[in-house]
């Protein structure tokens, strides 16, 4: 399947992506890590998928995309993670993911919730 990202004039193929999702709540606690595998084409659909997973795993429908930020890094990689916000970040994300095949590492996606919610 081929799709066209509005921010890019180049058509890109869909690719299968496996990743670990970490969610850190605003009180500093973390939910157990969850493994996901899905097909990805463009950043907007991927971030929408992440949003749906955040709602499902936190069981909090009040969480909005502006209430958290998303970053990624390769498993066991030293240093800070890279923010995943727009098409430019997604290019880097896909390049890092392609390196994983040879290294047999996982990509980790971190959702850090910055807004606290009263249940």
């Amino acid at each position: 399947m081929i799709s066209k990202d509005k921010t890019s004039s180049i058509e890109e193929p869909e690719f299968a992506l496996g990743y670990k999702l970490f969610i850190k709540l605003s009180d500093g606690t973390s939910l157990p890590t969850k493994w996901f595998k899905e097909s990805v084409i463009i950043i907007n659909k991927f971030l929408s998928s992440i949003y749906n997973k955040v709602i499902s795993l936190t069981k909090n429908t009040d969480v909005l995309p502006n209430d958290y930020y998303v970053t990624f890094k390769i498993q066991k990689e030293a240093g800070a993670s890279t923010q995943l916000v727009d098409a430019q970040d997604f290019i880097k994300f896909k390049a890092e993911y392609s390196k994983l095949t040879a290294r047999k590492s996982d990509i980790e996606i971190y959702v850090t919730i910055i807004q606290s919610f009263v249940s």
Side-chain angles (χ1 to χ4, degrees):
M1 178 177 193
I2 296 183
S3 179
K4 191 172 182 178
D5 185 338
K6 292 178 185 176
T7 61
S8 172
S9 60
I10 300 171
E11 291 184 354
E12 296 187 33
E14 183 177 84
F15 70 100
L17 168 67
Y19 60 92
K20 289 182 181 177
L21 181 64
F22 296 81
I23 298 177
K24 184 175 182 179
L25 304 174
S26 60
D27 66 2
T29 61
S30 296
L31 298 179
T33 302
K34 180 89 171 90
W35 172 259
F36 291 99
K37 186 163 186 141
E38 62 186 282
S39 295
V40 179
I41 300 174
I42 61 172
I43 184 69
N44 294 343
K45 288 187 180 189
F46 185 55
L47 290 176
S48 178
S49 174
I50 296 279
Y51 171 71
N52 291 329
K53 289 170 178 59
V54 168
I55 295 295
S56 175
L57 294 171
T58 62
K59 297 177 176 49
N60 188 337
T61 57
D62 293 332
V63 176
L64 299 173
N66 288 336
D67 297 330
Y68 61 84
Y69 58 91
V70 179
T71 59
F72 71 92
K73 69 188 236 178
I74 294 175
Q75 181 181 17
K76 298 179 184 175
E77 181 180 73
S81 53
T82 302
Q83 199 164 12
L84 186 56
V85 176
D86 56 25
Q88 186 69 27
D89 298 332
F90 199 55
I91 291 168
K92 175 69 173 167
F93 175 77
K94 290 191 297 185
E96 291 294 322
Y97 189 77
S98 68
K99 293 177 188 177
L100 297 178
T101 344
R103 293 171 58 179
K104 297 186 180 180
S105 295
D106 290 326
I107 198 149
E108 300 173 338
I109 297 180
Y110 297 87
V111 172
T112 304
I113 299 177
I114 55 177
Q115 175 68 38
S116 94
F117 297 92
V118 178
S119 299

